[in-house]
């Protein structure tokens, strides 16, 4: 409040130059009284300066607005002239309006007595017009019916009914009313006939239904008949759509939207407006509720028919057409059904497009799953055909196997990646639907991971595992290829594919208790690789065993000549092992802890005695060549040897390394040779031939294994068994054996 008072006092102060209350005399008097000479001179200088500044600003303002001032002057001059002309016109207008007023007063005075008569005449004229309309109504109704202008006909009749209700008791109007009733009764029958006639559009049906209601048809009967007739029309639309097999999916859906769904929407909205939204006095209290229930049933029944037709079309197109085109069509349908839900308020549409889309995703997933399995079967057939037609050269075969493995692995990975990318189209953000928001859709997305990917990996493992059955007579190199492929899948492929599907489809598999974990598939794939590799070892071992067994069983060991050379089968065994080692080495690298044999070890292979010192530990091996015939008669030597020797497991699982694989094959072959020797009887020269053969094997097989003692032990067992089964246990001189083996 004080600030306001101060402002008012300042505004009316005689000492403020910027206000209208400024008084120069009072201001000067106060200045001379309160200020010193210097302050007065400074004030004068300030006032002069402000005056000059204001004068300069005024001149600038005038210069800048000079043209405006000139234009304003011309405008004012022109307005002055125009106002003079306007003033004269207004005076003339005033005079004329006065004249008109006088004439109006004269007319009013003259017609004052006949005004009531004119009103009566006007009312009679209006009545005569109505009577004229009624008298010509039957003819007009017939004319409208002939022109099929049923809407105007019903409007005229409804308008005339009000007059009939007021004057219908008079004889002159009663005849006209009866004629009109007869005409409208015929129109009702005609409308009903056309209402039930097939081929009418939904728009025509609703229009005729509305006309019949205006003609006092019973609403409950009309409601039931409207739904029946509309069902016939919609059924015709369904039949027509069933024949549109040559159209693509988008054209098919557009045809259904523009035809079936448009008619259905029109019928539903018209029915709702006519029977649900209106109240009829002559009907039951629950008429609107029953009508709404019937409409809801009608809507869902026809939606279900159409959606079933669409689903059948989708199922027939899955895997044959473009998935993107199919989803574009379903997206349009989904948008239209959403619009129908907004239009049909109070109605519940149970069927939706998302179910069809999810079903399509499932079906496409099954199609892709079958395609993956077929592709895998074709790839395996190509591998088998390639292996059958490949030359048996070891080096070329090893390189060729690597190419086969690479091609098989890469094609499988690329095929699966392509399938996962293809199915990703269902989750595009530009669709109006989102299947992941639906419970079934979320299960479908997880099904892509479990049913498609994990299921296909299980299928790979199962099919490859079936080749591990010895009864299938699989090619040995095929087993190697499949085993190495499984190992590559276990080490790299499974992780890549599972990570890919989890990233693409945003699946949290780590925290899920229902999804298959990566380690489970890896363990299964490694088990399959192990089984195939073990089968390969047994199969190759069986091939080596077959050669050795036949060489022992087909020879007459009691009538042998003195050995002069190594038997050919032993050379063949060494060649086969070299070939196998070359092939295996091209696939399985040497493990870091499995060092190759040293040069010192190779020197021992050229000696007939089987003993060697490795470091400070003595490796014991039998030395049959150093025993005399009298010593050989005792069985204590072999018994002591078995006592201090470790048991050798023949049919154990091998490691994924070259040395372990080749060692497993050698063990099976030597074990077979041992068992064959145990059931034969040898002469002196037969024993010596076994001695030469075992020494040759010892000279050549040691380089294939890590533990030379294993080979020496089995060879010692073979030679020991031959000694026990010999009639005359006399061995050759070590030097002679050495010479024969080196001569080969």
């Amino acid at each position: 409040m004080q600030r306001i008072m101060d402002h008012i006092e300042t505004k009316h102060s005689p000492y403020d130059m910027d206000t209208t209350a400024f008084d120069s005399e009072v201001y000067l008097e106060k200045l001379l009284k309160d200020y010193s000479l210097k302050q007065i001179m400074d004030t004068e200088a300030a006032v002069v300066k402000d005056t000059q500044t204001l004068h300069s600003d005024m001149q600038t303002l005038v210069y800048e607005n000079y043209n405006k001032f000139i234009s304003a002057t011309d405008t004012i001059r022109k307005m002055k002239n125009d106002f003079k002309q306007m003033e004269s016109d207004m005076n003339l207008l005033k005079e004329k309006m006065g004249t008109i007023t006088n004439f109006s007063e004269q007319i009013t005075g003259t017609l004052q007595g006949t005004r009531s008569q004119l009103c009566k005449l006007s009312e009679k004229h209006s009545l005569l017009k109505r009577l004229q309309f009624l008298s010509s109504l039957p003819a007009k109704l017939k004319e409208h019916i002939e022109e099929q202008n049923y809407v105007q006909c019903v409007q005229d009749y409804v308008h005339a009914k009000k007059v009939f209700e007021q004057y219908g008791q008079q004889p002159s109007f009663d005849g006209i009313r009866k004629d009109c009733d007869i005409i409208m009764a015929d129109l009702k029958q005609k409308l009903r006939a056309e209402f039930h006639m097939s081929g009418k559009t939904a728009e025509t049906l609703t229009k005729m239904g509305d006309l019949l209601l205006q003609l006092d048809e019973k609403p409950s009967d009309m409601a039931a008949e409207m739904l029946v007739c509309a069902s016939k029309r919609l059924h015709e639309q369904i039949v027509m759509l069933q024949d549109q097999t040559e159209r693509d999916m988008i054209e098919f859906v557009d045809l259904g939207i523009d035809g079936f769904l448009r008619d259905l929407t029109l019928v539903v909205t018209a029915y709702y407006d006519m029977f649900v939204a209106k109240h009829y006095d002559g009907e039951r209290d629950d008429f609107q509720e029953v009508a709404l229930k019937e409409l809801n049933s009608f809507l869902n029944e026809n939606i279900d028919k159409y959606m079933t037709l669409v689903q059948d079309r989708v199922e027939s197109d899955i895997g044959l057409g473009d998935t993107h085109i199919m989803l574009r069509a379903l997206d349009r349908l989904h948008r239209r059904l959403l619009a129908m839900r907004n239009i049909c308020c109070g109605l519940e549409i149970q069927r939706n497009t998302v179910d069809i889309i999810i079903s399509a995703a499932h079906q496409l997933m099954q199609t892709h799953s079958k395609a993956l399995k077929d592709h895998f079967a074709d790839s395996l057939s190509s591998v088998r055909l390639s292996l059958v037609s490949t030359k048996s050269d070891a080096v070329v075969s090893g390189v060729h196997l690597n190419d086969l493995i690479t091609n098989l692995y890469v094609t499988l990975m690329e095929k699966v990646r392509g399938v996962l990318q293809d199915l990703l189209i269902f989750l595009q953000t530009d669709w109006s639907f989102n299947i992941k928001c639906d419970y079934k859709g979320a299960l479908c997305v997880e099904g892509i991971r479990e049913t498609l990917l994990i299921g296909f990996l299980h299928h790979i493992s199962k099919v490859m595992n079936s080749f591990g059955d010895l009864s299938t007579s699989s090619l040995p190199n095929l087993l190697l290829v499949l085993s190495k492929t499984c190992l590559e899948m276990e080490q790299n492929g499974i992780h890549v594919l599972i990570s890919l599907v989890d990233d693409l489809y945003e699946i949290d598999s780590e925290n899920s208790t229902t999804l298959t974990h990566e380690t489970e598939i890896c363990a299964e794939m490694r088990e399959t690789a192990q089984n195939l590799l073990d089968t390969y070892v047994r199969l190759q071992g069986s091939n080596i065993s077959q050669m050795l067994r036949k060489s022992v069983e087909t020879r007459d060991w009691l009538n042998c000549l003195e050995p002069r050379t190594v038997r050919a089968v032993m050379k063949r065994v060494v060649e086969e092992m070299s070939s196998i080692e070359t092939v295996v080495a091209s696939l399985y690298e040497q493990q870091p802890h499995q060092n190759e044999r040293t040069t010192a070890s190779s020197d021992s292979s050229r000696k007939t005695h089987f003993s060697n010192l490795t470091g400070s530990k003595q490796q014991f091996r039998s030395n049959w060549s150093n025993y005399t015939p009298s010593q050989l008669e005792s069985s204590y030597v072999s018994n002591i040897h078995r006592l201090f020797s470790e048991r050798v497991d023949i049919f154990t699982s091998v490691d994924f390394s070259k040395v372990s694989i080749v060692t497993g094959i050698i063990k099976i072959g030597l074990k077979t040779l041992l068992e064959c020797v145990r059931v034969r009887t040898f002469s002196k020269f037969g024993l010596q031939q076994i001695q030469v053969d075992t020494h040759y094997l010892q000279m050549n097989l040691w380089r294939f294994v890590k533990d030379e003692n294993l080979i020496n032990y089995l060879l010692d067992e073979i030679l020991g068994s031959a000694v026990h089964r010999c009639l005359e246990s006399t061995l050759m001189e070590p030097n002679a054996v050495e010479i024969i083996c080196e001569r080969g």
Side-chain angles (χ1 to χ4, degrees):
M1 187 67 182
Q2 184 63 34
R3 293 177 61 185
I4 296 175
M5 293 301 296
D6 293 342
H7 177 70
I8 294 173
E9 291 178 358
T10 304
K11 184 175 180 181
H12 297 282
S13 174
Y15 305 109
D16 189 359
M17 295 182 183
D18 295 331
T19 63
T20 57
F22 176 70
D23 189 345
S24 59
E25 296 295 335
V26 175
Y27 177 76
L28 182 60
E29 182 181 352
K30 178 176 176 57
L31 194 63
L32 294 174
K33 181 180 179 181
D34 295 340
Y35 289 84
S36 62
L37 179 60
K38 186 178 184 304
Q39 290 177 332
I40 293 173
M41 293 178 68
D42 291 341
T43 303
E44 179 188 13
V47 170
V48 171
K49 183 178 179 181
D50 291 341
T51 304
Q52 291 175 351
T53 302
L54 289 174
H55 182 68
S56 177
D57 292 342
M58 184 64 69
Q59 286 182 340
T60 303
L61 184 62
V62 171
Y63 293 154
E64 289 178 352
N65 295 278
Y66 178 75
N67 292 331
K68 295 181 181 178
F69 288 142
I70 298 300
S71 177
T73 303
D74 294 340
T75 302
I76 292 171
R77 185 181 299 110
K78 185 176 181 181
M79 288 177 62
K80 185 176 180 181
N81 297 329
D82 292 341
F83 275 120
K84 290 181 180 180
Q85 179 66 31
M86 186 180 296
E87 184 178 1
S88 61
D89 292 341
M90 291 298 294
N91 292 330
L92 181 61
L93 179 62
K94 182 178 179 182
E95 294 177 359
K96 291 182 178 180
M97 288 299 295
T99 305
I100 292 172
T101 302
N102 294 330
F103 278 118
S104 177
E105 291 176 353
Q106 291 176 5
I107 293 172
T108 301
T110 304
L111 297 177
Q112 184 68 34
T114 59
R115 177 176 296 177
S116 58
Q117 295 179 0
L118 290 174
C119 292
K120 292 179 180 180
L121 290 175
S122 177
E123 291 177 358
K124 290 180 180 179
H125 181 265
S126 176
L127 180 60
L128 289 174
K129 279 187 174 181
R130 293 182 183 178
L131 295 176
Q132 183 181 2
F133 170 76
L134 291 178
S135 62
S136 61
L137 181 61
K140 284 186 177 181
L141 293 179
K142 291 180 180 180
E143 182 181 353
H144 289 323
I145 293 174
E146 290 176 357
E147 295 175 354
Q148 295 185 351
N149 190 2
Y150 303 137
V151 176
Q152 187 64 42
C153 180
V154 173
Q155 288 179 355
D156 291 345
Y157 177 74
V158 172
H159 179 68
K161 278 182 65 177
K162 299 177 182 179
V163 181
F164 287 141
E165 291 174 358
Q166 186 176 1
Y167 303 103
Q169 302 300 326
Q170 298 182 10
S172 58
F173 295 125
D174 185 58
I176 298 174
R177 181 178 61 81
K178 290 180 179 179
D179 292 341
C180 291
D181 290 342
I182 294 173
I183 294 172
M184 297 312 293
D186 294 338
L187 178 61
K188 279 186 183 181
Q189 294 180 355
K190 190 172 184 179
L191 288 176
R192 277 188 172 277
E194 293 190 9
F195 189 74
H196 293 278
M197 190 181 300
S198 61
K200 295 294 182 181
T201 64
E203 185 177 2
T204 304
L205 290 177
T206 55
K207 186 183 295 184
M208 290 181 177
D210 184 58
L211 293 177
L212 288 171
L213 283 177
Q214 294 182 45
L215 294 176
D216 297 332
E217 286 294 308
K218 191 175 182 181
S220 57
D221 295 339
M222 288 301 305
E225 291 179 13
M226 184 174 181
L227 292 183
V228 171
C229 295
S231 297
K232 294 179 181 178
R233 169 59 183 166
L234 294 174
H235 178 70
E236 294 173 0
Q237 294 272 9
I238 291 291
V239 173
M240 184 269 294
L241 289 174
Q242 288 174 345
D243 297 333
Q244 304 301 318
T245 54
E246 73 281 356
R247 298 179 180 268
D248 65 18
M249 192 63 188
I250 292 181
E251 293 178 346
F252 176 78
V253 170
D254 286 344
L255 195 63
I257 291 174
D258 296 335
F260 181 86
L261 291 181
R262 177 180 174 276
D263 287 354
L264 179 61
T265 305
L266 185 61
V267 169
V268 169
T269 53
Y271 184 95
Y272 188 90
D273 294 338
M274 286 190 291
F275 303 110
V276 179
K278 289 183 180 180
H279 177 72
Y280 295 94
D281 295 333
E283 294 294 339
R284 299 180 306 176
D285 295 338
D286 61 343
F287 169 72
Q288 291 172 297
E289 181 180 351
V290 172
L292 180 61
K293 184 178 179 181
E294 293 294 331
L295 179 60
N296 200 22
S297 175
F298 166 80
L299 174 63
N300 282 286
E301 180 183 353
N302 285 277
I303 285 288
D304 187 66
K305 290 180 181 179
Y306 177 68
M307 298 298 278
T308 302
L309 178 63
V310 173
Q311 185 167 1
D312 293 341
R313 177 61 187 270
V314 169
E315 291 176 356
S316 64
D317 286 358
I318 283 292
L320 301 178
D322 189 349
T323 306
H324 188 267
I325 292 179
M326 179 192 72
L327 289 180
R328 280 177 55 197
L330 293 178
D331 182 61
R332 293 185 184 182
L333 178 59
H334 183 71
R335 294 176 189 272
R336 181 55 185 264
L337 289 180
L338 289 177
M340 283 188 64
R341 283 187 170 89
N342 295 330
I343 294 174
C344 304
C345 298
L347 299 176
E348 180 182 355
I349 301 179
Q350 299 173 354
R351 193 80 177 268
N352 58 61
T353 321
V354 177
D355 292 336
I356 297 179
I357 296 170
I358 293 173
S359 176
H362 276 294
Q363 188 174 353
L364 185 61
M365 185 170 57
Q366 294 173 359
T367 302
H368 280 312
S369 178
K370 184 178 182 300
L372 285 175
K373 293 176 181 178
D374 294 341
H375 171 76
F376 178 59
D378 294 340
S379 298
L380 289 182
S381 300
S382 299
V383 171
R384 297 180 70 177
L385 181 62
S386 179
L387 290 175
V388 170
S389 60
T390 302
K391 295 181 180 180
S392 61
D393 183 72
V395 177
V396 176
S397 180
V399 175
H400 184 61
L401 291 185
N402 269 317
D403 293 339
L404 290 178
I405 293 170
T406 301
N407 291 335
L408 180 60
Y409 175 78
V410 170
T411 53
L412 281 178
M413 296 291 290
E414 292 301 322
K415 188 70 174 178
V416 175
R417 284 194 185 99
V419 167
L420 295 178
Q421 288 288 349
D422 189 18
L423 290 172
L424 193 62
I425 193 174
F426 285 89
L427 301 181
Q428 285 186 0
T429 55
D430 53 348
W431 301 133
S432 61
F433 55 83
N434 185 0
I435 64 173
K436 293 190 72 174
C437 295
D438 190 274
Y439 175 71
K440 294 180 181 178
L443 293 180
C444 177
V445 172
E446 293 183 355
I448 294 176
R449 183 187 190 274
E450 294 297 304
T451 304
L452 181 64
L453 179 58
I454 302 299
F456 180 59
L457 293 176
H458 283 309
H459 176 75
I460 291 176
S461 178
K462 181 180 178 181
V463 172
M464 288 190 173
N465 215 12
S466 65
F467 288 94
D469 188 358
L470 289 174
S471 61
T472 58
S473 302
S474 301
L475 296 174
N477 286 342
L478 176 63
L479 297 175
L480 266 185
V481 170
L482 299 183
S483 175
K484 184 63 176 178
T485 304
C486 287
L487 193 61
E488 287 293 331
M489 293 292 293
E490 183 264 337
Q491 293 175 347
N492 299 307
I494 292 176
H495 174 72
V496 171
L497 292 178
I498 291 182
S499 299
L500 178 63
V501 72
D502 289 347
D503 292 341
L504 289 178
Y505 296 92
E506 299 177 355
I507 300 174
D508 185 11
S509 60
E510 294 294 333
N511 299 321
S512 176
T513 57
T514 58
L515 299 180
T516 305
H517 199 267
E518 177 183 329
T519 54
E520 300 178 29
I521 304 299
C522 289
E524 180 182 359
M525 200 64 71
R526 189 174 186 86
E527 182 181 353
T528 301
Q530 185 68 62
N531 181 42
L532 291 170
L533 191 59
D534 291 342
T535 304
Y536 170 78
V537 170
R538 290 186 177 92
L539 186 59
Q540 291 289 43
S542 176
N543 294 337
I544 299 295
S545 299
Q546 190 74 6
M547 292 188 293
L548 294 173
R549 184 178 63 82
K550 288 183 178 179
S551 70
V552 175
E553 292 178 350
T554 57
R555 191 177 182 90
D556 185 5
W557 295 99
L558 293 177
N559 298 312
C560 289
L561 300 177
E562 183 177 0
R564 290 288 182 267
T565 184
V566 179
R567 287 190 300 153
V569 67
M570 299 302 168
K571 299 178 183 179
R572 178 65 187 279
V573 167
V574 174
E575 292 174 358
E576 285 293 324
M577 291 310 304
S578 297
S579 175
I580 291 172
E581 183 199 34
T582 304
V583 173
V584 174
S586 66
L587 303 182
Y588 294 95
E589 297 296 333
Q590 190 72 21
Q591 296 293 334
H593 63 279
Q594 292 176 335
N595 299 322
E596 294 293 337
R597 297 302 300 263
T598 61
T599 306
S601 298
S602 64
D603 292 340
S604 67
S605 68
R606 298 185 181 92
K607 300 179 182 178
T608 30
H609 58 84
F610 298 168
S611 60
N612 183 31
L613 293 175
T614 303
S616 61
K617 182 179 179 181
Q618 183 175 3
Q619 303 287 340
F620 175 81
R621 277 168 284 176
S622 62
N623 190 358
W624 292 101
S625 301
N626 294 337
Y627 289 112
T628 62
S630 60
Q631 291 174 315
L632 292 175
E633 292 176 358
S634 174
S635 63
Y636 289 108
V637 175
S638 59
N639 292 332
I640 292 173
H641 179 212
R642 292 189 181 93
L643 183 63
F644 289 97
S645 299
E646 295 182 1
R647 182 177 179 272
V648 177
D649 293 327
I650 304 300
F651 297 100
T652 57
S653 294
V654 298
D655 298 330
F656 294 98
S657 64
K658 178 194 71 174
V659 173
S660 179
I661 296 171
V662 177
T663 301
I665 298 172
I666 292 174
K667 286 194 298 182
I668 294 175
L670 294 182
K671 181 64 175 178
T672 302
L673 180 59
L674 173 62
E675 296 301 325
C676 291
V677 168
R678 284 178 176 172
V679 297
R680 308 297 294 182
T681 303
F682 298 92
S683 64
K684 170 184 174 182
F685 293 139
L687 173 61
Q688 292 177 358
Q689 184 65 58
I690 294 295
Q691 181 185 8
V692 171
D693 292 343
T694 55
H695 183 67
Y696 179 81
L697 292 177
Q698 194 273 340
M699 288 177 60
N700 292 278
L701 295 182
W702 68 270
R703 66 178 183 271
F704 297 125
V705 299
K706 178 185 177 183
D707 187 5
E708 184 182 346
N709 294 321
L710 176 65
I711 301 297
N712 293 333
Y713 170 76
L714 292 173
L715 292 174
D716 288 348
E717 286 288 313
I718 294 170
L719 185 56
S721 296
V723 169
H724 285 297
R725 299 290 298 175
C726 183
L727 301 177
E728 183 181 356
S729 303
T730 303
L731 296 175
M732 293 181 68
E733 292 296 327
N735 292 335
V737 174
E738 187 79 23
I739 293 172
I740 293 175
C741 291
E742 289 180 353
R743 189 172 57 195

